[in-house]
Amino acid sequence: MSAPPLTLADLNRMNRTGFATTLGFAFELSPWVVKRAYDAAPFDSVEALHAATMAVLEAAPEDERLALIRAHPELAGKTAIAKTLTAESNAEQASAGLDRLTPEEFERFHALNAAYRQRFGFPFIIAVRLNDKTAILAAMQARLDNDRAAEIAEAIAQIGLISKLRLQDAVTA
């Protein structure tokens, strides 16, 4: 049984450290995002909380945004096979069927992950909960044609979707 959802009132009463520790999961191994968003508290909605985190990302220098992107695992990659993903990533990848790939699908993911990482220097990011494996494979192929700046922007936008879903799951009004 999971813990009851946090309320905005709970979060608004926390200090910066507690806030970052409690919500750090929303941005894959990168609690600095929510730690900085704390400055915008108190929050009157989950949407306001999420907007504050996205403002942090917009203001962050590229090296920090790249570190956040690189903190994400490859889809159906080695960490997924080894079962060393964060709980959130594991559940999200499973929701898209990435834990049940055929050998051919696995090879396709592996090849596209390698091509994407070689081209951009970071893993492919997509809000898997909003897609299925067919859509993810199509997006991976299509986004290989983007330039690096466009892919950094798209990765941050996708992280925004991922984090919003995570926050909506964990926090109630």
Side-chain angles (χ1 to χ4, degrees), residues 95-96 126-132 135-136 158 161-162 165:
S95 76
I126 193 167
V128 296
R129 284 172 55 184
L130 302 177
N131 294 278
D132 62 18
I136 294 166
Q158 292 295 319
L161 293 171
I162 294 163
L165 291 168

Side-chain angles (χ1 to χ4, degrees), residues 66-108:
L66 285 170
L68 170 62
I69 294 167
R70 290 183 178 124
H72 286 74
E74 286 187 344
L75 299 179
K78 292 176 187 174
T79 54
I81 295 164
K83 306 289 186 206
T84 57
L85 296 173
T86 63
E88 294 79 19
S89 286
N90 188 57
E92 289 160 356
Q93 288 201 30
S95 76
L98 301 187
D99 60 340
R100 299 175 304 281
L101 298 175
T102 66
E104 296 79 19
E105 290 168 333
F106 178 78
E107 285 302 317
R108 186 76 178 130

Side-chain angles (χ1 to χ4, degrees), residues 42-60:
F43 302 102
D44 61 2
S45 67
V46 175
E47 291 74 22
L49 167 61
H50 185 256
T53 64
M54 294 309 293
V56 166
L57 288 180
E58 290 297 319

Side-chain angles (χ1 to χ4, degrees), residues 19-20 23-24 26-28 30-38 50 52-57 60 64 68 159 163:
F19 185 82
L23 296 179
F27 291 86
E28 198 79 16
S30 303
W32 62 267
V33 178
V34 291
K35 188 173 189 175
R36 291 181 196 168
Y38 177 84
H50 185 256
T53 64
M54 294 309 293
V56 166
L57 288 180
E64 289 182 333
L68 170 62
I159 289 168
S163 62

